[in-house]
Structures are given as C-alpha cells and as structure tokens.
Amino acid sequence: MLQKREKVLLLRTFQGRTLRIVREHYLRPSVPCHSPLCPQPAACRNDGKLLSSDVTHYMIPDWKVVQDYLEILEFPELKGIIFMQTACQTVQHQRGRRQYNKLRNLLKDARHDCILFANEFQQYCYLPRERGESMEKWQTRSIYNAAVWYYHHCQDRMPIVMVTEDEEAIQQYGSETEGVFVISFKGILNVNKHRAQIEAFVRLQGASCKDSGLVSDILIHGMKARNRSIHGDVVVVELLPKNEWKGRTAALCENDSDDKASGDPPSEPMPTGRVVGILQKNWRDYVVTFPSKEEVQSQGKNAQKILVTPWDYRIPKIRISTQQAEALQDFRVVVRIDSWESTSVYPNGHFVRVLGRIGDLEGEIATILVENSISVVPFSEAQMCEMPVNTPGNPWKVSPEEERERKDLRETHLVFSIDPKGCEDVDDTLSVRTLANGSLELGVHIADVTHFVPPSSYIDTEARTRATTYYLADRRYDMLPSILSADLCSLLGGVDRYAVSVIWELDRTSYEIKNVWFGRTIIRSAYKLFYEAAQELLDGNVTVVEDIPELKNLDTKSRQAKLEELVWALGKLTDIARHIRAKRDRCGALELEGVEVRVQLDEKKNIHDLIPKQPLEVHETVAECMILANHWVARKIWESFPHQALLRQHPPPHQEFFSELRECAKAKGFFIDTRSNKTLADSLDNANDPNDPIVNRLLRSMATQAMSNALYFSTGSCAEEEFHHYGLALDKYTHFTSPIRRYSDIVVHRLLMAAISKDKKMEIKDNLLSNKDLEELCRHINNRNRAAQHSQKQSTELFQCMYFKDKDPENEERCISDGVIYSIRTNGVLVFIPRFGIKGAAYLRNKDGLVISCGSDSRSEWKPGSLQRFQNKITSTTTGGESVTFHLFDHVTVRISVQASRCHSDTIRLEIISNKPYMIPDTELFQQSSLLLKSDLVKEVTRSVEEAQLAQEVKVNIIQEDYQKYCQTKGRSLYTLLEEIRDLALLDVSNSYVM
C-alpha cells in the first residue's frame, strides 16, 4: 500500500523572494533490492541485474564519495557496490549531466558489479529532512539509514560497509549498528589494494603532480605514463619502485613539454609514478592550429580525420573530423575534446568556432582568453537594469535614509585620494586629522560597492563568476559595469559618495592605535591627487599646485590655506606609514618588488629611450595604509565569524625552494638565511653589491619565485596558526580595499557589515555563506586569480614579441642589449635583460652540437667543442683549445630576436654575442637602467602609435557604442593601427621602434 508524503521545497528567486513548492511523494513497502540474498525476491521484483554472490561485503558510498571518486568506483576490482538514490540525485544536481550520465552508464553496464537502490521510495528507508538540518547532513543520514535497512533486509547475512570522507559521520555512525561499518574511503582502498597500491590523489600539472599532502612531488614521465590523462585532470598515481625513478634534466629545452633526451645527465632521481586512474576529467575548450596545406595534402584529398596541434604545449594533438582543413589552416580555432579511446594515441574532438588569423592581435588576445577559460561578454540587459542611473538629466543623489544611517564625513574630514595619473576607478581615499583630545585620527575610506550590488542579484552573480578584473597588456575587462567602477563607486573629487570606513584613533607621538571604528559613511573627496604631485608636495615643491585642479583657480589666500592643510595631512600620513612599516619590518616583512621604467618618446612619437621610474615614498605611504586596513578588517570579521570568514594566507615556502637562491648569493659572497621571513628580509637587505645593483634585484626575484602563492581561504577550513601571511608578517590578513575589481573584497565587505550588525545586536540582513560554500567560493576566486595572472603574463609576452618581431636583429640597435646571467644549465644559461625586463634562455651549445667561443675581440662564434658545468659557472672549450667561462651574475652582450611559431605562441630568443657587457653611448643612462615594467612598454608603444596617427590627421573610428557602454576594451585594435600606419607610410620603417 502506498503512503503519500509531501516534499516542500523553498526556492529563492533572483528578486530575493522565497518561492514555496509542494510535491507529492509516494512511498512503497517494497522496491527492488537487487540482492541474491533477498528473502522475498517476488515482492522486491528483482528483475535484471543482481549483485554478485561471491563478495565478502556490500559497499555503499555516500553522496560525497560518488561525486568526487566516481572514476575509482568504476574499477572492476571493486564489487558489490550499492548506489543509493540519494547519492545519485546529488550527482545529477551538483555535477551536471555529463557526470550523471557516466554514473547511469556504470549502473547499466553488466560488467560492473553495482546496482541502484531507490531508498527515497522505500517506506522504511525514507527520512524527511528535519527543520534546520543542512542538506549534507540529511543526505548522509538518509544513506546510513538505508544501509541499516538493507543489512537487516538481507537477514544480517552480508556486512555493509558505508564509505565516506565525513569524519563526523564516521564518529557518529561507526559503531551504532552491528554489521554496518562506516569507514573512510581511503581506508577501503587500502583494504582492497586494487590494481596497485595507490599512493596519491593528484591533479596532473604537466610533467609533475602535486597532491594534498600525501606525496610532495611525483614525476610523470612520458605520454605512456600519463595514460590518456590531460593537463588539469585529477588522477590517481601509482608510485613506481625506486629503481625506476627518473630525474629532471638540468638542460635548457625548447618548451616545458619536451620529453626528448638532451644528451645531458638528469638530476638526482625523484619519486616517479604512472597514472592508473582519472578521478575527474577537466576538459575545456582548446585553441588549436590546423596542419599546413602540404601536411593536409599528404593525408589525402578526401581525408576527413585531421590531427590539430593545440596552442598549449602540454596538450596532445587532437583528432577532429572536418572537410575545411585547408580553409582554416591560417586561423586559430577552438575545439573541444569529446572522448579518448583506450586504443587511440590521440583524443577525439570537434570544431567549435574560429578565433582569428594567426598573428592577428585580436586573434592572439582571444587565444589567451580561451586558454585561460576567461569569458568576458558585455554585461546583459538584465544586469544593466539593476544599475543606478546617473545622467545630467537625472543625477544620482545621496538618499535621506542613507544620510540618517551613515556617519557623514563631508564637512568634518579632509578626504583625498592618491592614484596613478588618469586613474578612473578610485576605490580608496585617506584622511588624517587632530582630535579635540590631542590624539590623531587616521581614516581609510573604501567605495561601498555592496550598497549597489545586493547578494544573489544578476550583477552579483556575474561579478562572482568573473571574480576579478582582468588586466591585459593593452586593455582590461572589468568585473563590474562602468557606471559603478568608473562613476558611482569611484571616489572622485568634489562629489558625494558612499564609503565603508576604518577609522583609528592614534597616540599623537608614538602613533600606537588606541581605538578603531568600522562603519558606513558618506564622504566627499577634496582632492584627486596623482602620485607625482603628492610626492612633490611632500618634498616642499609648491609649484605643483598648478597641476592640482582643486587648487588651481583659488585666490592666493584661500589657496595658501588649503595648501598648508593638504601638505600637513600628507606629511602626517607619511610619518604614520613609516611607523607602521617599521613595525612590520621588525616582524620580518619582505620587500620583493623591483623598479619600473617609463618610455621616453621623441618628436615623432617614436620610442627614444628608457628612463627609470624612481620609487616614490608616497607609494609606500598609501600601501601601508591599505595593508593596515586589510589587517584590522581581517581581525574584525574573524572575531565575529571564526568559522566562516574570508581571509588571505601566505604559507611559508619550503626550504628546498631556496637552494638556488642560496647558491647564487654564495657565488657573490653573500649568505642568505631563510629560516624565517625576518632572517630572509635582513639577508636580502644586506646582499648589495655596490658595483652592480642588478645583483640584489635578481636575488629578490629568486626569492619571489621560491614563494608559495597567497590564497584566499575560509577560516573554518584550517587551524588558526595557518592564517599567517608570510610576506607581510601579519597574523591575519584579507582583501578589503579594492571591491571594484575583486569579488573577494565584496564578500569581506558583507562580512564586515554583518559583524557590525552583530555588535549592535541587530538582525544580519545578508545570509552569510557557510564554511563549505565559502571554501568553494575561495577555490573559484583563487582559480580565476591564477587565470588573470597567466593571461596578463601571456599578453605582455605577446607584445614583447610584437615589439621585436619586425626588427632586424643583425642591424637594429635596440635588439642588442646588456644581459645578466642568473642561472647555469648544462647546455646554456638563463639571462635577465634589465632594459626590457626580459628573462630567457641563451644556449651555449646549438642544435648542431657546436659550442660558443669568444675570440680576442670578445665576439662569439660557434665551433666544435664541449661544455663543462660547475656549480656557479660553465666553461666552453673548443677542439682547438680555446675556452671561455661564464660565471653567475656576469654581464654579457645579447642579441634579442623572436622565434616565430605557427602553432604556438612566439617566444623571445636570446643569443650571447659577446662575453663582455654591452655599453651604449649614453653611459649615464646605462648606470641608471633597471627593470622595465612590461605593461608600461606596451601602453607607451600603443600610445605612440595612436599619437603618431593623430599627428598626421588620419581619421579613426571611435570605440563601438556597446564597448564604450560596458567598458570592455580600451578602443581600436593596435594591429589595425599598425597596418594603417604601414600602408600610409607615415613612419620611416628603417628608423621605426613601434611594434
């Protein structure tokens, strides 16, 4: 007899309303159990597939195990598996159709000993969800209850093993029912010992794998060992016997995926393994290049199966079916992998779309976006409808309600911003004043983005998906529409804006913090300063007031009064920042950044020279105030929500990662103590060569490379001692000061508002994320941040190659530069070019086996011979007895050229042409030259091209209306401008320094 129940679902709409859905749910006394031990097979109607009768126990995976380890559950060695309906529905709802179809096919496959049990329709297995019970707890409880029923249904003749990764469930249910065991999934793997001993669950990362802590580093050598796994897949690795371990080569290779033997001995053997299972296939869209016309013709006129080459070296060739191979051979094309048969060397895929021509700027930029899984379509109409209006006919105003609820600082505080020249998205301002009691008050005021971006709104969902603003070399893709990022959330001068403020009361002499206040405010920034003007004022140069619009048109008396007030505020901020920085320095804060260089243009708007940008103290002043605000907000939200606060951790690096840094410093007579961040910072400060400042910059660069990446995390997911930020020397840190361009800061703003409401005993308006949901969000943001960093790096390298590509490396003066050797390999050296900020490999042995030789005039040439590598040097000896030695930190003259690639990205190629430093005519500039900020080079080159075109009165089209509205690009294609300039012969090609 059927029993009727009602399932009530509460769904939240995008408008924030709660929708109640009631569904009828019918329970049956008997449902198919598919067990040969069933005492009532007729009642259960066990038709079709049955479990094996020769197993020692039945295994029931919980919902989380089915989600994360389905690939292992497919192993034929695992028998007697019962998949509960609850777990299968969770996979359907949370993992999508692809994973769910894989589970359905597994259940249908007669070769696999597994069945589906409909526990939610069984009268005695069904459990309604209790009020306040989380979905995860209810799912685990339902599966355990069904496991107990199944054990008793089989008359206690077959033990049931429920496998889970929930330690709380193991403690709660482990000994509750005799015959029903609840153990960890990794434990059941050790019991079964199937296939081979499984040493680690890892994510495949090119030629090596890193797991969550079981094995630190495993080398996966060769395509056979990868076993049809692709970069990014989560795989199971079998650790090979020690006598089969291999080492990484110490030689320079053309690309990271080059597995060919180089003839050089490998490094010390390291743990080596092979992939024995794929837990999760993270296939995505891949950019590929079709074979050339000759290669297509060699496959036959009617060939439809074409092997295409991915842009990413780490991805194998993909076989697709097409009759358009010849038509598409000059284009970058997106394909998607569909399958990889066990009998095939290559995966199968299908054509998706065309990106653009090979070498075209827009096509190459689109390639970078696709390869980093960055999708940045214009904001939709629904998202833009949520945006406030601010037009000349309908200007935005502060609402009376907000005026009552917020602290009004417009008339009481001197608020101002300090940003780069031309900055539009001003998300932070500062203030400082003397209080009536004699104390000082320091304020950091951040744009109140969360006022305009409510949780679960359309724009919030889009911002969460993007997670960050993507900055490429010549453009940016904003996280929020320009009405917010460049207008209502930008703290511009002379306009009212909503802010979230952190205000400290400081001792007037020691600057120690006496009190702190957090809250929502209304501000009106008095000045929109740029860094150079602020520094001039600090240095006492008052002539810069002509560059400050807010002071420019005042009468002399008013201007002098306001100028004195501003100069006092800047000076006091600087003093406070010095105190804050000194305090962090005493705790071991690291300074790892280099110096920037700007591009100097001549009268024809061509690049003339590179002039170092001196670091300004005002940069550090602003940075210290932001760090202070981030630190105090981190403390506040953690104190209020110790298990669900979003913080940022920077774990200490592994000591072995510092080995190259220590050896390089030793070559110059320096000792680098890496036992702590304090000793490392002190050692780097002392490692200064008075004759060569590049040495210290390279050592700091090596220290940066040894660092782990800073990551966002939920405080409920790790112990408090793991919260520490190694680089900043702070016990707790988060990101609060840039909500316009970082979604993490939006989450932190909501947490801070909730903490303030909690202190006031008020109802928390926004539903806070649970620890689990917050941890998933942190993983997503961390992933998007990595994508943003990679795309920025790749776009910068693209423009570097464009800059040098059209230049003749044999005759062009700009292609010859000074380089510094910073690493020794068995067949070459790694060289840093200070003038352009380029790092690359310079081979000392070419592909023909010839080695470099330098004659009496120091010019290099290739001759037969051999190389001998030592710890801090490498010697090239010819068969004629000539020898030349290159030491670490030697200055050499290098020729810069571009190594073009049709299928992959172009790369910078370095060639040592002399073992002596390169001396340019302007020796004074040579002594000043330092690291060039790559993005500055691109922007200056782009600007020079545009200005040159305007100078010749060439008409250009303006930005498309949609892009202008949504702030998705900076304007015309640089490639188009270059082509037009070349066609019109506006520039002398022989003397041109444009890309």
Side-chain angles (χ1 to χ4, degrees):
M1 184 177 180
L2 299 181
Q3 288 187 7
K4 179 182 175 182
R5 297 289 181 91
E6 287 186 348
K7 273 191 172 182
V8 180
L9 301 178
L10 298 178
L11 303 179
R12 176 167 292 178
T13 66
F14 283 112
Q15 291 75 26
R17 296 192 298 269
T18 300
L19 185 64
R20 187 172 186 267
I21 299 177
V22 180
R23 292 178 179 172
E24 293 182 348
H25 187 74
Y26 292 92
L27 303 178
R28 300 163 177 80
S30 297
V31 296
C33 67
H34 301 291
S35 172
L37 301 178
C38 177
Q40 299 173 332
C44 287
R45 299 179 183 178
N46 290 325
D47 299 328
K49 191 175 179 181
L50 294 178
L51 291 170
S52 175
S53 58
D54 61 349
V55 295
T56 59
H57 61 273
Y58 291 151
M59 183 169 69
I60 299 178
D62 80 340
W63 62 276
K64 186 66 173 173
V65 171
V66 177
Q67 269 193 356
D68 296 344
Y69 302 106
L70 184 58
E71 295 281 354
I72 286 186
L73 297 175
E74 289 179 327
F75 287 166
E77 288 82 357
L78 293 179
K79 298 182 178 180
I81 303 178
I82 303 172
F83 290 95
M84 293 295 173
Q85 177 190 359
T86 302
C88 295
Q89 288 179 345
T90 303
V91 172
Q92 181 183 15
H93 295 153
Q94 297 188 13
R95 288 297 187 187
R97 180 175 297 178
R98 181 176 173 182
Q99 190 83 345
Y100 181 61
N101 287 339
K102 183 185 291 188
L103 176 57
R104 290 181 61 189
N105 293 334
L106 174 64
L107 291 166
K108 292 177 184 177
D109 194 338
R111 296 172 298 177
H112 291 276
D113 188 24
C114 59
I115 57 98
L116 170 66
F117 179 63
N119 64 300
E120 293 196 21
F121 291 109
Q122 216 289 332
Q123 179 177 334
Y124 304 106
C125 292
Y126 174 76
L127 291 176
R129 185 177 168 190
E130 297 177 353
R131 183 179 296 275
E133 185 178 25
S134 68
M135 180 63 73
E136 294 81 6
K137 295 298 181 185
W138 172 77
Q139 289 166 341
T140 302
R141 187 165 64 92
S142 295
I143 293 173
Y144 176 75
N145 184 66
V148 172
W149 179 91
Y150 204 96
Y151 173 67
H152 294 316
H153 175 71
C154 294
Q155 299 180 333
D156 302 349
R157 291 188 290 168
M158 181 63 69
I160 301 291
V161 177
M162 175 179 167
V163 291
T164 180
E165 287 301 290
D166 187 346
E167 293 295 333
E168 189 176 326
I170 295 173
Q171 294 293 328
Q172 182 177 355
Y173 302 122
S175 57
E176 185 171 299
T177 304
E178 185 178 354
V180 179
F181 304 92
V182 183
I183 65 175
S184 72
F185 185 54
K186 291 178 183 177
I188 199 70
L189 288 179
N190 289 331
V191 171
N192 282 279
K193 303 238 177 231
H194 62 283
R195 287 211 171 183
Q197 183 177 6
I198 297 182
E199 299 287 347
F201 301 94
V202 299
R203 180 176 298 277
L204 191 64
Q205 300 285 2
S208 68
C209 306
K210 292 184 182 296
D211 73 86
S212 57
L214 295 174
V215 180
S216 61
D217 197 18
I218 302 176
L219 180 66
I220 309 296
H221 187 272
M223 288 296 295
K224 185 176 180 180
R226 296 189 188 186
N227 193 13
R228 294 181 293 134
S229 58
I230 293 178
H231 177 76
D233 288 351
V234 181
V235 299
V236 181
V237 173
E238 174 195 353
L239 194 63
L240 297 177
K242 282 193 174 183
N243 60 356
E244 297 182 32
W245 287 8
K246 300 180 183 297
R248 290 195 181 97
T249 179
L252 300 173
C253 296
E254 291 293 335
N255 59 72
D256 293 336
S257 65
D258 201 344
D259 287 332
K260 67 180 183 291
S262 63
D264 296 283
S267 62
E268 184 179 348
M270 61 181 296
T272 306
R274 66 184 182 96
V275 175
V276 296
I278 302 174
L279 294 179
Q280 182 178 338
K281 292 173 180 167
N282 291 317
W283 294 347
R284 55 174 175 82
D285 287 351
Y286 300 99
V287 179
V288 302
T289 304
F290 277 72
S292 64
K293 185 176 181 179
E294 294 74 18
E295 292 172 326
V296 172
Q297 290 175 346
S298 68
Q299 298 182 24
K301 186 175 181 181
N302 298 320
Q304 294 184 0
K305 294 285 188 178
I306 300 294
L307 280 176
V308 294
T309 304
W311 186 81
D312 188 340
Y313 281 104
R314 299 167 298 187
I315 307 301
K317 291 183 177 180
I318 303 170
R319 182 183 288 109
I320 68 170
S321 297
T322 181
Q323 294 180 339
Q324 305 297 319
E326 288 192 30
L328 295 173
Q329 62 181 349
D330 295 328
F331 293 86
R332 301 277 188 215
V333 176
V334 178
V335 303
R336 191 169 297 156
I337 295 178
D338 299 317
S339 63
W340 195 342
E341 303 297 332
S342 59
T343 56
S344 175
V345 178
Y346 302 107
N348 299 313
H350 68 273
F351 168 87
V352 178
R353 69 183 186 276
V354 175
L355 290 180
R357 285 189 176 274
I358 298 173
D360 175 80
L361 176 65
E362 296 304 319
E364 297 299 327
I365 290 293
T367 295
I368 291 172
L369 295 177
V370 171
E371 281 297 318
N372 290 283
S373 301
I374 298 174
S375 176
V376 280
V377 297
F379 294 102
S380 69
E381 183 179 352
Q383 292 160 359
M384 296 305 297
C385 286
E386 294 179 338
M387 295 295 95
V389 176
N390 187 27
T391 62
N394 186 16
W396 177 86
K397 297 179 182 179
V398 173
S399 71
E401 180 183 356
E402 292 295 330
E403 278 188 312
R404 290 192 298 269
E405 294 184 357
R406 294 172 179 263
K407 179 181 285 190
D408 195 338
L409 309 181
R410 289 175 289 185
E411 303 297 333
T412 57
H413 289 63
L414 175 65
V415 178
F416 55 90
S417 63
I418 309 175
D419 288 284
K421 216 169 190 176
C423 178
E424 293 180 348
D425 51 346
V426 182
D427 48 17
D428 58 83
T429 55
L430 299 165
S431 68
V432 62
R433 64 172 185 164
T434 303
L435 299 176
N437 61 4
S439 299
L440 290 175
E441 182 187 83
L442 170 66
V444 171
H445 316 281
I446 307 301
D448 191 359
V449 174
T450 57
H451 174 80
F452 300 99
V453 183
S456 302
S457 61
Y458 290 124
I459 196 62
D460 178 63
T461 303
E462 178 65 21
R464 177 175 178 151
T465 301
R466 298 190 182 198
T468 183
T469 292
Y470 297 98
Y471 292 92
L472 302 189
D474 67 331
R475 67 193 74 187
R476 77 169 188 262
Y477 296 97
D478 291 324
M479 184 182 76
L480 295 171
S482 60
I483 182 63
L484 296 183
S485 61
D487 191 358
L488 295 182
C489 289
S490 185
L491 308 180
L492 305 172
V495 293
D496 296 344
R497 289 292 182 260
Y498 295 151
V500 178
S501 301
V502 184
I503 300 175
W504 298 269
E505 182 182 347
L506 310 175
D507 184 273
R508 62 180 176 181
T509 54
S510 67
Y511 299 139
E512 291 300 318
I513 295 173
K514 301 166 66 175
N515 195 15
V516 63
W517 177 88
F518 305 91
R520 278 184 154 138
T521 56
I522 303 174
I523 66 169
R524 183 185 299 138
S525 179
Y527 304 100
K528 184 177 181 293
L529 303 175
F530 56 92
Y531 284 118
E532 291 76 10
Q535 188 64 49
E536 291 291 339
L537 291 176
L538 278 174
D539 296 339
N541 182 8
V542 295
T543 60
V544 78
V545 297
E546 297 299 326
D547 296 328
I548 303 175
E550 295 86 354
L551 296 175
K552 188 175 181 180
N553 299 321
L554 296 178
D555 60 81
T556 306
K557 185 177 181 180
S558 299
R559 178 192 294 186
Q560 185 62 31
K562 287 186 173 294
L563 182 61
E564 290 177 359
E565 181 186 36
L566 178 59
V567 170
W568 177 87
L570 287 171
K572 190 57 67 176
L573 274 177
T574 304
D575 289 342
I576 295 171
R578 288 170 183 163
H579 169 79
I580 299 171
R581 176 69 197 192
K583 190 173 182 180
R584 288 200 304 113
D585 284 343
R586 290 193 293 270
C587 296
L590 297 172
E591 178 59 58
L592 301 174
E593 294 183 350
V595 181
E596 301 177 6
V597 169
R598 67 176 175 86
V599 179
Q600 187 182 65
L601 306 177
D602 61 17
E603 303 82 23
K604 295 182 179 180
K605 303 300 181 182
N606 295 323
I607 295 181
H608 175 65
D609 252 324
L610 305 177
I611 306 299
K613 277 185 180 178
Q614 297 300 327
L616 304 177
E617 186 176 16
V618 72
H619 290 146
E620 189 171 314
T621 297
V622 175
E624 286 301 326
C625 292
M626 298 303 118
I627 292 171
L628 184 68
N630 288 333
H631 171 56
W632 278 84
V633 169
R635 291 175 54 178
K636 178 65 178 178
I637 62 176
W638 173 75
E639 289 169 359
S640 299
F641 309 105
H643 302 296
Q644 55 191 119
L646 187 152
L647 299 188
R648 189 164 174 83
Q649 64 182 170
H650 185 207
H654 296 288
Q655 286 299 309
E656 57 266 26
F657 295 165
F658 284 121
S659 58
E660 185 175 12
L661 169 64
R662 287 192 291 261
E663 293 300 329
C664 289
K666 187 178 178 182
K668 274 289 184 180
F670 301 123
F671 172 72
I672 303 295
D673 188 346
T674 61
R675 290 176 297 173
S676 69
N677 54 355
K678 172 62 175 172
T679 59
L680 174 61
D682 292 342
S683 299
L684 290 173
D685 288 341
N686 295 327
N688 277 305
D689 186 342
N691 299 319
D692 190 0
I694 298 294
V695 171
N696 187 263
R697 297 192 191 106
L698 282 172
L699 292 177
R700 290 183 184 276
S701 176
M702 292 178 190
T704 303
Q705 292 177 353
M707 300 290 170
S708 307
N709 288 328
L711 299 170
Y712 298 107
F713 71 102
S714 172
T715 52
S717 62
C718 60
E720 185 178 352
E721 55 267 20
E722 298 175 14
F723 294 1
H724 186 75
H725 196 291
Y726 180 86
L728 296 177
L730 294 171
D731 59 341
K732 294 175 184 67
Y733 191 70
T734 192
H735 275 164
F736 160 76
T737 54
S738 294
I740 290 176
R741 60 184 178 90
R742 292 189 302 232
Y743 190 78
S744 57
D745 299 51
I746 292 179
V747 176
V748 169
H749 275 235
R750 289 172 180 160
L751 284 165
L752 180 60
M753 293 303 102
I756 294 171
S757 297
K758 186 177 180 182
D759 291 345
K760 296 179 179 179
K761 310 297 185 196
M762 296 169 59
E763 179 184 358
I764 298 176
K765 296 180 180 179
D766 298 334
N767 291 327
L768 300 182
L769 296 174
S770 66
N771 173 62
K772 180 183 176 183
D773 292 339
L774 185 57
E775 188 63 24
E776 290 181 359
L777 176 59
C778 289
R779 279 195 293 267
H780 168 70
I781 296 176
N782 291 331
N783 177 272
R784 291 295 82 206
N785 282 346
R786 281 191 293 268
Q789 292 168 3
H790 292 161
S791 61
Q792 186 176 26
K793 177 176 180 290
Q794 290 164 354
S795 69
T796 301
E797 291 170 350
L798 168 65
F799 275 82
Q800 281 182 334
C801 290
M802 290 183 68
Y803 179 73
F804 289 103
K805 194 168 187 177
D806 293 332
K807 292 178 172 58
D808 182 2
E810 299 293 334
N811 302 315
E812 178 63 58
E813 182 183 353
R814 288 298 174 109
C815 293
I816 309 298
S817 187
D818 184 67
V820 183
I821 296 173
Y822 69 92
S823 186
I824 306 292
R825 296 291 187 264
T826 58
N827 61 340
V829 294
L830 296 179
V831 179
F832 171 59
I833 312 295
R835 194 174 185 85
F836 297 105
I838 295 173
K839 289 182 178 180
Y843 289 86
L844 302 183
R845 180 172 59 224
N846 64 17
K847 292 182 178 179
D848 298 326
L850 304 178
V851 299
I852 196 169
S853 173
C854 295
S856 57
D857 60 351
S858 300
R859 307 302 293 179
S860 67
E861 56 182 324
W862 298 102
K863 294 182 178 180
S866 61
L867 296 176
Q868 188 174 8
R869 179 196 181 198
F870 302 94
Q871 190 169 25
N872 299 319
K873 63 182 180 179
I874 184 170
T875 299
S876 172
T877 306
T878 66
T879 53
E882 302 171 350
S883 67
V884 59
T885 300
F886 297 92
H887 298 82
L888 277 175
F889 302 111
D890 275 356
H891 284 252
V892 294
T893 301
V894 297
R895 178 184 290 120
I896 307 171
S897 60
V898 175
Q899 184 168 334
S901 174
R902 183 173 168 274
C903 298
H904 311 288
S905 60
D906 294 344
T907 54
I908 293 291
R909 182 173 177 268
L910 303 180
E911 179 185 359
I912 296 177
I913 60 174
S914 171
N915 62 345
K916 300 296 183 182
Y918 176 66
M919 301 297 293
I920 59 177
D922 189 352
T923 56
E924 180 181 356
L925 176 61
F926 172 77
Q927 294 174 357
Q928 294 177 351
S929 292
S930 56
L931 177 65
L932 168 66
L933 185 65
K934 302 172 188 175
S935 59
D936 273 4
L937 173 63
V938 174
K939 292 172 183 175
E940 292 290 347
V941 171
T942 305
R943 191 179 301 114
S944 70
V945 174
E946 293 171 344
E947 291 176 352
Q949 188 178 30
L950 291 173
Q952 298 294 330
E953 297 182 347
V954 176
K955 296 182 179 180
V956 297
N957 296 324
I958 61 172
I959 304 171
Q960 295 179 15
E961 184 178 352
D962 286 345
Y963 284 147
Q964 196 172 37
K965 181 177 180 181
Y966 301 126
C967 196
Q968 289 301 298
T969 183
K970 68 172 289 183
R972 290 174 55 78
S973 162
L974 175 60
Y975 182 85
T976 305
L977 293 175
L978 291 171
E979 289 299 311
E980 291 177 4
I981 290 171
R982 178 178 295 172
D983 293 342
L984 296 172
L986 297 179
L987 299 178
D988 183 359
V989 178
S990 64
N991 296 321
S992 174
Y993 294 137
V994 299
M995 289 181 291

